[in-house]
């Protein structure tokens, strides 16, 4: 028998009868949402013993609740909470004024969302994942449920090490890898390793979530403008940055891929002074549709200046929440002295499942399947956008899950986004990813002024989660209002 989820204190001296006190308490708990729909209440006998009252008293309380519809009695099963949602809403309407957003504050209902972050989960190998999970749990022993190593299980780190070397050219040993529950955690952990209040430079436009994490760490941040090759090193030199956060393989959100010359410039900048580092975020390098995958920046690092961060959220599923960070040896020693007492944030069961998924070839097969699927969507959206070429320059193609439209007609991003919203299509504005330097971190006026506002309108269209039909229909609606 389930224990009563109620902690009522009856007052025998009250003018309110005992059965009414029980009735009112349970009714209020149901209306407040603390007792859920279809939740079973204790039997009258159990409750009477628990509250030290007569069975008749409890029966009277339950009968009143049943009569008013808060509780229903089921033959030979007991008492259950009724559909309290409607009762709760009724009570709120009668007793409280609820906030209703103005029409202008309400989010429009979009038919097509060209999100650059969403991926297609319809083809995820659920059966394979379930089979691996079942096999692991059947063979699990006490070690599987122990705390495990702070850096993550050695088997998974070894598997990731082999995968990174083969696919991204990353040169590392398993001992250099730290596994964490998402990039957010790893960036927060990196603050403990690099030290507090270090000055960080970021590309502009940039990944806003990473900026907010650096901001929460009290890092001074400078935003460095980009050109067709990525972060401008000449402008980076105008800052006092000790670390630069870059996405060289496929910059988010511009889609720029950094050529080898610019990479060498960045590595040279990092090697010119002690305690300078590059933070390489390689968030979606698995998806490239033309030529060979670009090697990582870390693959060219001879001085141990690159911190390499990657994730399986984009390549497998967002809910996996397993990321990895490769530390150069000087920072690895610092991690061991400062942070090794932190427990791993990923369960050993999840680590074991992922390890087998990669080790046994399922991951590679799934990636090949998704590359083919995304390539088809990539080619489709480019084909559907051909009528737009007169009014927009199309860039950022051949990699990732989004493309960029740059307006040729000097229109505002806000205007284009509003026109799209009018036909229930959600697109994303580049201005939401452009950051402005504070006065204390300003680069100064001129070509390196990262707060320039004369950029043409640039729009981001992601296609990862959309079906081919949705891509065609969404682009057709944009054609109606933009051309």
């Amino acid at each position: 028998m389930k224990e009563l989820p109620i902690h009522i204190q009856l007052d025998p001296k009250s003018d309110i009868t005992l059965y009414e006190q029980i009735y009112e308490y349970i009714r209020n708990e149901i209306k407040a949402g603390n007792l859920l729909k279809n939740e079973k209440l204790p039997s009258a006998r159990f409750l009477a013993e628990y509250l030290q009252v007569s069975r008749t008293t409890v029966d009277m309380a339950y009968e009143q609740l049943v009569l008013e519809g808060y509780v229903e009695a089921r033959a030979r099963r007991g008492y259950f909470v009724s559909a309290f949602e409607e009762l709760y809403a009724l009570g709120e309407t009668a007793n409280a004024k609820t906030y209703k957003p103005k029409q202008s504050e309400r989010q429009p209902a979009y038919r097509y969302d060209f999100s650059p972050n969403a991926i297609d989960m319809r083809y995820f190998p659920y059966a394979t994942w379930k089979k691996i999970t079942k096999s692991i749990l059947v063979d699990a022993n006490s070690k599987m449920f122990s705390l495990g190593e702070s850096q993550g299980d050695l088997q998974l780190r070894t598997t990731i090490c082999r995968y990174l070397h083969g696919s991204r050219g990353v040169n590392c040993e398993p001992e250099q890898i730290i596994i964490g529950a998402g990039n957010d955690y790893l960036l927060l952990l990196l603050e403990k390793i690099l030290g507090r209040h270090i000055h960080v430079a970021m590309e502009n436009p940039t990944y806003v979530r990473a900026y907010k994490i650096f901001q929460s760490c009290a890092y001074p941040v400078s935003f460095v403008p980009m050109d067709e090759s990525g972060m401008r090193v000449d402008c980076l030199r105008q800052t006092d940055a000790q670390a630069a956060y870059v996405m060289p393989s496929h910059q988010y959100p511009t889609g720029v891929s950094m050529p080898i010359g610019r990479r060498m410039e960045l590595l040279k900048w990092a090697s010119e002074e002690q305690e300078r580092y590059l933070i390489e975020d390689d968030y979606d390098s698995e998806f490239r549709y033309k030529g060979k995958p670009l090697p990582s920046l870390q693959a060219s690092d001879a001085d141990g200046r690159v911190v390499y961060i990657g994730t399986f959220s984009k390549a497998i599923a967002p809910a996996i929440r397993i990321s990895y960070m490769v530390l150069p040896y000087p920072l690895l020693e610092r991690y061991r002295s400062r942070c090794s007492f932190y427990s791993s944030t990923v369960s050993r069961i999840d680590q074991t499942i992922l390890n087998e998924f990669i080790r046994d070839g399922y991951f590679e097969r799934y990636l090949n399947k998704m590359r083919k699927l995304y390539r088809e969507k990539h080619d489709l959206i480019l084909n559907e956008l051909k009528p737009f070429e007169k009014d927009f320059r199309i860039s950022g193609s051949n990699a990732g899950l989004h493309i960029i439209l740059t307006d040729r007609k000097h229109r505002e991003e806000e205007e284009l986004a509003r026109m799209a919203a009018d036909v229930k299509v959600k697109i994303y504005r580049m201005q939401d990813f452009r950051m402005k330097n504070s006065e204390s971190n300003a680069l100064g006026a001129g070509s390196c002024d990262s707060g320039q506002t004369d950029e043409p309108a640039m729009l981001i269209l992601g296609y990862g989660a959309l079906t081919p039909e949705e891509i065609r229909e969404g682009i057709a609606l944009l054609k109606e209002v933009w051309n």
Side-chain angles (χ1 to χ4, degrees):
M1 175 64 68
K2 179 181 176 181
E3 242 185 68
L4 181 68
I6 298 172
H7 303 285
I8 183 173
Q9 296 292 327
L10 299 179
D11 182 5
K13 298 180 180 179
S14 172
D15 293 335
I16 302 174
T17 63
L18 293 178
Y19 98 85
E20 288 178 309
Q21 292 182 47
I22 298 171
Y23 151 78
E24 289 183 359
Y25 186 89
I26 296 177
R27 183 197 61 181
N28 292 338
E29 288 291 281
I30 292 173
K31 292 175 66 175
N34 296 326
L35 292 175
L36 305 180
K37 177 183 177 180
N38 291 325
E39 185 168 1
K40 187 176 182 180
L41 297 177
S43 68
R45 180 185 59 80
F46 182 91
L47 183 55
E49 292 178 358
Y50 179 80
L51 297 177
Q52 295 295 300
V53 296
S54 71
R55 170 75 178 271
T56 303
T57 299
V58 176
D59 284 338
M60 291 175 64
Y62 274 175
E63 287 172 7
Q64 187 64 31
L65 290 166
V66 170
L67 183 64
E68 295 185 14
Y70 291 100
V71 170
E72 60 182 57
R74 300 178 186 175
R76 294 186 296 276
R77 295 185 61 193
Y79 295 96
F80 293 81
V81 177
S82 297
F84 74 89
E85 292 96 335
E86 293 81 359
L87 299 170
Y88 174 68
L90 180 62
E92 286 296 306
T93 302
N95 299 314
K97 292 184 178 180
T98 56
Y99 171 74
K100 293 184 178 180
K102 299 177 182 178
Q103 187 66 33
S104 60
E105 295 175 336
R106 296 173 186 169
Q107 294 294 324
Y110 294 103
R111 290 179 60 193
Y112 307 101
D113 185 350
F114 285 86
S115 170
N117 299 313
I119 65 174
D120 197 333
M121 290 300 299
R122 292 173 300 158
Y123 300 91
F124 180 78
Y126 296 100
T128 299
W129 199 268
K130 182 179 180 180
K131 181 182 72 174
I132 295 174
T133 303
K134 183 178 179 180
S135 174
I136 288 171
L137 292 177
V138 167
D139 299 332
N141 52 38
S142 59
K143 290 183 179 179
M144 183 73 68
F145 295 94
S146 62
L147 192 58
E149 300 176 67
S150 60
Q151 288 184 230
D153 285 358
L154 178 59
Q155 286 185 332
L156 178 57
R157 287 188 282 125
T158 301
T159 298
I160 290 175
C161 184
R162 292 171 58 84
Y163 165 71
L164 291 178
H165 184 70
S167 65
R168 307 292 298 118
V170 172
N171 299 308
C172 68
E173 298 295 331
E175 63 179 348
Q176 293 176 260
I177 296 176
I178 299 172
I179 295 170
N183 285 18
D184 296 0
Y185 167 76
L186 293 178
L187 288 175
L188 291 170
L189 185 64
L190 191 58
E191 186 258 349
K192 307 298 181 184
I193 300 169
L194 294 177
R196 304 190 66 185
H197 309 303
I198 68 165
H199 193 151
V200 176
M202 301 185 74
E203 299 156 316
N204 200 16
T206 195
Y207 179 40
V208 178
R209 190 179 186 89
Y211 164 63
K212 290 182 177 179
I213 292 171
F214 291 144
Q215 193 178 42
S216 73
C217 296
Y219 283 175
V221 177
S222 291
F223 298 103
V224 179
M226 299 173 58
D227 58 20
E228 66 278 359
S229 297
M231 177 182 278
R232 289 180 50 183
V233 180
D234 60 326
C235 297
L236 174 61
R237 293 184 184 280
Q238 294 184 27
T239 73
D240 296 323
Q242 299 157 273
Y245 174 87
V246 293
M247 294 166 275
S249 293
H250 186 237
Q251 203 273 344
Y252 186 83
T254 64
V256 169
S257 295
M258 188 179 291
I260 187 64
R262 183 60 54 85
R263 293 172 183 236
M264 292 300 102
E265 287 184 65
L266 276 175
L267 289 168
K268 184 175 184 294
W269 169 84
S271 65
E272 288 173 350
E273 292 188 14
Q274 293 293 326
E275 297 300 315
R276 269 188 184 175
Y277 293 96
L278 299 170
I279 305 169
E280 178 181 10
D281 189 342
D282 204 9
Y283 69 99
D284 74 345
S285 58
E286 291 87 357
F287 302 117
R288 180 163 290 276
Y289 314 119
K290 187 177 181 181
K292 295 182 179 180
L294 298 177
S296 64
L297 179 64
Q298 196 267 2
S300 302
D301 177 25
D303 298 323
R305 297 306 181 101
V306 176
V307 177
Y308 180 87
I309 297 178
T311 180
F312 291 104
S313 293
K314 202 87 169 181
I316 301 180
I320 298 300
R321 302 305 299 159
I322 299 180
S323 296
Y324 47 86
M325 177 166 63
V326 180
L327 292 176
Y329 276 105
L331 293 184
L332 177 62
E333 294 302 318
R334 201 176 296 175
Y335 164 81
R336 287 171 173 168
S337 63
R338 297 180 182 179
C339 307
S340 59
F341 63 89
Y342 285 103
S343 299
S344 175
T345 52
V346 182
S347 79
R348 299 195 70 190
I349 294 175
D350 289 340
Q351 292 186 58
T352 306
I353 294 170
L354 179 60
N355 180 62
E356 293 197 12
F357 188 71
I358 301 173
R359 186 198 63 196
D360 295 346
Y362 298 112
F363 180 47
E364 183 178 0
R365 290 194 288 273
Y366 178 59
L367 266 184
N368 290 336
K369 180 178 182 178
M370 296 310 295
R371 283 194 192 102
K372 181 177 183 295
L373 176 70
Y374 288 140
R375 185 186 299 114
E376 291 171 353
K377 293 184 182 184
H378 165 270
D379 295 345
L380 173 62
I381 195 170
L382 290 180
N383 184 64
E384 294 296 317
L385 287 172
K386 283 183 178 179
F388 292 74
E389 291 177 347
K390 180 181 177 181
D391 297 331
F392 293 92
R393 180 171 63 87
I394 302 171
S395 60
S397 59
N398 297 317
L401 301 177
H402 69 274
I403 52 92
I404 308 296
L405 298 182
T406 303
D407 184 59
R408 302 180 189 270
K409 298 172 68 174
H410 309 291
R411 291 173 290 185
E412 298 292 332
E413 290 180 14
E414 184 68 36
E415 175 191 4
L416 291 166
R418 179 191 55 76
M419 294 166 69
D422 287 343
V423 290
K424 309 301 183 183
V425 177
K426 186 173 185 178
I427 53 91
Y428 294 77
R429 307 173 303 177
M430 187 64 72
Q431 69 187 48
D432 294 329
F433 301 88
R434 295 188 189 279
M435 313 302 292
K436 188 173 182 181
N437 282 306
S438 63
E439 293 184 6
S440 60
N441 296 324
L443 295 172
S447 63
C448 286
D449 180 8
S450 194
Q452 297 180 79
T453 58
D454 57 351
E455 297 284 349
M458 299 176 71
L459 305 170
I460 305 166
L461 271 67
Y463 51 85
L466 298 175
T467 65
E469 292 75 18
E470 289 171 333
I471 291 173
R472 292 190 188 94
E473 293 167 5
I475 297 299
L477 290 172
L478 292 178
K479 185 178 179 181
E480 293 179 6
V481 294
W482 282 355
N483 285 348

